[in-house]
Amino acid sequence: MLLDRHIGFVEALRAAGLTVSLAEDIDAARALGHVALDDRETVRAVYAATLCKREGHRPGFDALFDLWFPALVGDGRMGAGIAAGATEGYELATKEGDNELAQEMRDDGPQSLEDFRTELGAALESDDRQRMAELAIFGVGQFGALPGQGPGRSTWSSYTAMKRIRPEDLAFRIMQGLEGQGFGEEEARAVATRRIGTFVGLAEADANRRIAQEKGVEQIQEIVVRPTLDRLDFLSMRRADVEELRRQIYPLARRLATRLTQEHHARRRGPLDFRRTVRASIATGGVPLETHHKPKRPHKTELVVLCDVSGSVANFASFTLLLVFALREQFGKVRAFTFVDDVTEVTDQFVPGGDLVDIMTGLVEQSAHTARFGRTNYGRAFTRFLEKYPDALGPKTSFLVLGDARSNYSDLKLDALKTIVEGTRKQWWLNPEVRRNWDTGDSVATRYNDVVPMVECRNLTQLSEFVHDIL
């Protein structure tokens, strides 16, 4: 039973994007033999130490651990959703406490709901996390049930529970209590919002636990666990994801640069020098014990990047530019241009050792000059690029386009793009949209793909692999 859980958990981690080798799998199993298995947080720590290698993977790891190793079954007290490191003050409550609360609220009627809200308000005001966790479990069980659902459908919903409980209405009461303790208005609002968010998160985790218990963990783990940051689609990122990715871009560039340097050293020998090898073999009776190679000619790509910075693809273009310029030592030369319906050069924004915030601010200000009419026009951008920056192209230049190929039904100017292709050594086009959406609506991906090879690039992993391949 425990072995099945262990294997299922490891497979779920791999499916969520964590790299878990067979050796790490065995290490985790051996480490579990040296700790008390009834101590859930110790088991969590053992798994995290042996299987989770990156900080960005920890949220997904914790969510899967809570699903595969829940602290309770059914209507127990402590449930999933208590993140590692935030468990101080969380202890298994007694069953008597559960009965006491159940006796107070025998049904899900208006009076019981009002009593529950009173209890919740007191817990939020005093920041009693253990009581908040208990009430989250009780609230989902009492107000989040969906009876009468058909076969295969969930019978628990944290959304339904929160619609009835309305914890956001308690924010004013919490703020009053905090202001009485000397908090300012803004600080009190932020603290109240955070406490309510914590309660809602605990309720969502408990609803997921109940659904997993009904339908099986395998049926829900893909829905509950968000992809890791490096596998998250650029076009579906939230603001917090964007901020986190900006912090991760330079460490990623360093790892990629180290990997490239190691591979270049491994391939530093050029082609076989047949004459030197045969000549050297005379000393050993004609047996070529040692091969000789011609020196390898170093070649560095001169890259020109043309980025669509309109709307939702702006994040994708920004991250690609940041990654390319973080790796600029790997290229012979890099020039960057942004466009909406006009083109401007932004190469000077990427100075060595520059602050990331200053770079992004300068990039946004300079890119504001690229929207003369405010609508993306790829055809006009290619034409203006040829008119304003013909010196950017040459026989040693590689040309990279970043954009979703949605040109608002304007003239595509394929001739201008073909002129650019004829004036450069290599060409690529990275499209952040999923391939099945190409050629839908105003997308002209296939027509541009006939001129410049287009590659789907939806997340940081695909972007890193692409940059690695072109170097």
Side-chain angles (χ1 to χ4, degrees):
M1 180 66 178
L2 182 59
L3 181 60
D4 292 341
R5 279 270 153 180
H6 170 82
I7 294 173
F9 178 53
V10 171
E11 290 299 323
L13 291 175
R14 289 170 176 157
L18 277 72
T19 305
V20 181
S21 67
L22 178 60
E24 291 165 341
D25 182 357
I26 296 173
D27 285 346
R30 286 178 175 170
L32 288 175
H34 297 279
V35 300
L37 296 179
D38 59 350
D39 187 342
R40 183 167 176 265
E41 291 309 313
T42 300
V43 173
R44 184 199 297 267
V46 167
Y47 270 126
T50 51
L51 304 180
C52 188
K53 295 185 281 292
R54 295 182 185 174
E55 184 181 353
H57 292 166
R58 189 58 193 256
F61 168 87
D62 284 328
L64 284 173
F65 182 86
D66 288 333
L67 286 177
W68 281 90
F69 300 97
L72 58 89
V73 175
D75 286 331
R77 298 293 290 176
M78 286 295 300
I82 313 293
T87 56
E88 186 177 355
Y90 289 83
E91 295 177 356
L92 281 171
T94 61
K95 193 66 179 174
E96 288 73 17
D98 198 14
N99 289 336
E100 182 181 345
L101 195 62
Q103 289 173 3
E104 292 176 2
M105 290 166 257
R106 295 177 182 276
D107 53 37
D108 60 350
Q111 185 57 48
S112 294
L113 181 60
E114 193 56 37
D115 292 343
F116 182 87
R117 285 169 52 80
T118 302
E119 288 275 344
L120 178 61
L124 290 172
E125 193 173 345
S126 61
D127 198 19
D128 186 345
R129 297 196 172 191
Q130 180 174 333
R131 188 60 173 164
M132 286 162 57
E134 294 169 359
L135 290 171
I137 296 168
F138 197 91
V140 173
Q142 194 80 345
F143 306 109
L146 300 173
Q149 292 283 67
R153 303 193 64 178
S154 301
T155 56
W156 299 100
S157 168
S158 63
Y159 176 79
T160 301
M162 292 304 105
K163 285 284 285 184
R164 296 198 61 190
I165 296 171
R166 302 194 315 277
E168 64 276 7
D169 291 352
L170 300 171
F172 184 68
R173 171 180 170 178
I174 302 170
M175 287 177 61
Q176 281 187 318
L178 291 171
E179 287 173 357
Q181 299 172 24
F183 283 75
E185 181 180 350
E186 291 299 323
E187 188 180 6
R189 180 178 290 108
V191 172
T193 303
R194 178 175 52 79
R195 290 180 185 176
I196 292 171
T198 300
F199 172 73
V200 173
L202 290 168
E204 290 175 351
D206 189 65
N208 291 332
R209 175 188 64 81
R210 293 170 188 265
I211 296 170
Q213 185 180 329
E214 284 182 355
K215 303 174 65 175
V217 180
E218 296 85 352
Q219 299 295 320
I220 192 174
Q221 63 186 19
E222 293 183 4
I223 302 172
V224 172
V225 181
R226 296 189 74 212
T228 53
L229 194 64
D230 54 350
R231 293 177 182 271
L232 201 61
D233 282 6
F234 290 119
L235 302 185
S236 62
M237 284 185 171
R238 300 176 299 192
R239 185 173 181 179
D241 299 324
V242 173
E243 296 298 327
E244 179 61 27
L245 195 56
R246 284 176 183 168
R247 286 193 290 270
Q248 294 289 331
I249 200 77
Y250 284 118
L252 171 70
R254 285 197 296 272
R255 291 197 298 271
L256 191 56
T258 303
R259 177 183 164 191
L260 287 166
T261 301
Q262 291 172 342
E263 292 181 1
H264 287 169
H265 279 301
R267 299 196 304 258
R268 61 186 172 184
R269 291 197 306 182
L272 179 69
D273 189 332
F274 185 74
R275 292 185 63 183
R276 287 185 62 201
T277 301
V278 171
R279 192 177 300 158
S281 71
I282 296 175
T284 55
V287 179
L289 295 181
E290 183 181 2
T291 60
H292 292 268
H293 295 261
K294 296 177 182 177
K296 190 173 183 179
R297 293 183 179 179
H299 170 72
K300 287 191 174 183
T301 302
E302 294 183 5
L303 188 65
V304 170
V305 189
L306 186 61
C307 309
D308 176 3
V309 290
S310 64
S312 58
V313 296
N315 280 337
F316 163 66
S318 300
F319 289 130
T320 305
L321 284 177
L322 286 172
L323 182 61
V324 167
F325 275 90
L327 292 166
R328 57 185 172 276
E329 292 180 357
Q330 306 291 330
F331 295 95
K333 185 179 180 182
V334 180
R335 293 183 69 179
F337 304 85
T338 58
F339 73 90
V340 176
D341 53 44
D342 202 354
V343 181
T344 188
E345 183 167 7
V346 295
T347 307
D348 58 345
Q349 297 297 326
F350 297 90
V351 294
D355 183 74
L356 182 58
V357 175
D358 294 339
I359 291 174
M360 297 305 297
T361 303
L363 193 61
V364 171
E365 290 176 354
Q366 203 152 342
S367 298
H369 302 294
T370 63
R372 178 170 298 182
F373 301 105
R375 302 183 67 185
T376 307
N377 188 328
Y378 279 80
R380 177 179 167 79
F382 294 141
T383 305
R384 293 287 293 161
F385 178 75
L386 283 173
E387 292 173 356
K388 295 174 66 176
Y389 307 104
D391 60 315
L393 306 178
K396 296 182 180 178
T397 304
S398 295
F399 184 67
L400 173 62
V401 184
L402 309 176
D404 57 4
R406 293 189 177 274
S407 194
N408 291 304
Y409 305 102
S410 57
D411 189 347
L412 303 185
K413 299 289 185 183
L414 292 175
D415 292 341
L417 183 57
K418 289 177 181 175
T419 303
I420 294 174
V421 169
E422 290 168 359
T424 53
R425 180 168 174 263
K426 289 183 178 178
Q427 309 82 33
W428 307 276
W429 187 314
L430 297 185
N431 190 331
E433 285 194 342
V434 63
R435 187 176 288 271
R436 65 174 176 273
N437 290 339
W438 293 9
D439 297 327
T440 61
D442 60 345
S443 172
V444 288
T446 300
R447 296 191 63 184
Y448 279 134
N449 186 38
D450 293 337
V451 182
V452 176
M454 192 173 290
V455 179
E456 178 186 293
C457 182
R458 296 186 292 118
N459 54 50
L460 200 56
T461 298
Q462 291 179 334
L463 178 60
S464 303
E465 292 300 324
F466 172 79
V467 174
H468 171 266
D469 291 342
I470 67 174
L471 287 171

